[in-house]
């Protein structure tokens, strides 16, 4: 996969693409099959595409992405897309996992973000959000959680530790599977518009 430390990655303009596909974070790697970002900024804008698919964290967390806070992943502007699909984590956060401080996930200005077919051996099939991290979309944007699964909690999203999820616009949860629901919210968490 790819590791970022205090780095900015911009994928800008129609036809601009970055693919992080089929990486395996093996026995010596605990987190982040496709991308590990520490205090970094990842942005698809003005029609750019970031595709993080079919990656594996075989012994840990964050099959597709691990965000160490404070980090930002942002899909911004018409036809921009961040696709986090088909990833697997043995532990939590099949698609994306936040750790060590507040990170932000944002979808704005008509952009799209998809979490499809991600799997977690524990909690948060699509997304595991914690430690005051936030996931927000505006009224012009689209967020899709489809066919994600977790063995325990939150097939689509698991949100704990004061994290905030506020989705507006076209947000859909379809065919996500977990022992205790699509969006599992323990006490002291805030989950709205799901």
């Amino acid at each position: 996969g790819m590791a970022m430390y205090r780095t900015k990655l911009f994928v800008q303009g129609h036809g601009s693409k970055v693919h992080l596909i089929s990486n395996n974070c093996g026995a010596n790697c605990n987190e982040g099959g496709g991308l590990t970002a520490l205090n970094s900024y990842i942005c698809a804008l003005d029609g750019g595409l970031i595709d993080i698919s079919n990656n594996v964290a075989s012994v840990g967390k964050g099959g597709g992405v691990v965000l160490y806070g404070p980090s930002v992943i942002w899909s911004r502007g018409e036809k921009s897309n961040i696709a986090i699909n088909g990833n697997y984590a043995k532990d939590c956060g099949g698609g994306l996992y936040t750790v060590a401080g507040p990170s932000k996930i944002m979808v704005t200005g008509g952009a799209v973000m998809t979490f499809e077919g991600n799997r977690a051996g524990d909690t948060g099939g699509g997304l595991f959000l914690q430690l005051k991290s936030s996931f927000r979309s505006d009224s012009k944007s689209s967020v899709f959680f489809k066919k994600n699964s977790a063995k325990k909690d939150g097939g689509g999203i698991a949100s704990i530790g004061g994290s905030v999820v506020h989705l507006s616009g076209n947000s859909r949860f379809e065919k996500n599977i977990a022992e205790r629901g699509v969006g599992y919210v323990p006490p002291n968490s805030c989950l709205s518009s799901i």
Side-chain angles (χ1 to χ4, degrees), residues 104-125:
K104 294 180 182 179
I105 304 162
M106 299 181 295
V107 188
T108 61
V112 176
M113 187 175 285
T114 60
F115 293 82
E116 184 171 350
N118 298 293
R119 298 175 298 125
D122 193 309
T123 301

Side-chain angles (χ1 to χ4, degrees), residues 10-81:
F10 294 95
V11 181
Q12 183 172 8
H14 296 287
S16 298
K17 300 175 184 177
V18 169
H19 298 279
L20 298 168
I21 299 174
S22 299
N23 297 290
N24 187 345
C25 180
N28 295 322
C29 174
N30 192 37
E31 299 170 337
L35 172 64
T36 300
L38 172 60
N39 195 12
S40 294
Y41 188 93
I42 301 110
C43 186
L45 63 154
D46 302 329
L49 167 68
I50 298 174
D51 179 12
I52 304 168
S53 299
N54 302 316
N55 299 289
V56 175
S58 57
V59 296
K61 302 169 176 81
V65 180
V66 170
L67 293 180
Y68 282 89
S71 287
V72 173
I73 187 165
W74 190 359
S75 188
R76 186 178 100 189
E78 287 289 326
K79 298 185 181 178
S80 296
N81 188 356

Side-chain angles (χ1 to χ4, degrees), residues 112-192:
V112 176
M113 187 175 285
T114 60
F115 293 82
E116 184 171 350
N118 298 293
R119 298 175 298 125
D122 193 309
T123 301
L127 170 63
F128 187 93
L129 196 64
Q130 66 177 334
L131 302 170
K132 298 184 181 178
S133 291
S134 63
F135 184 14
R136 300 177 188 272
S137 68
D138 69 12
S139 62
K140 296 179 182 178
S141 300
S142 300
V143 176
F144 302 107
F145 284 85
K146 185 176 181 181
K147 297 182 181 177
N148 299 289
S149 64
K151 188 171 182 180
K152 292 184 181 177
D153 303 313
I157 297 176
S159 173
I160 67 169
S163 57
V164 175
V165 176
H166 182 86
L167 303 178
S168 298
N170 185 18
S171 299
R172 286 188 172 181
F173 289 77
E174 297 178 12
K175 300 180 182 178
N176 297 289
I177 299 170
E179 184 178 307
R180 290 186 280 209
V182 172
Y184 174 67
V185 187
N188 302 319
S189 292
C190 173
L191 186 62
S192 63

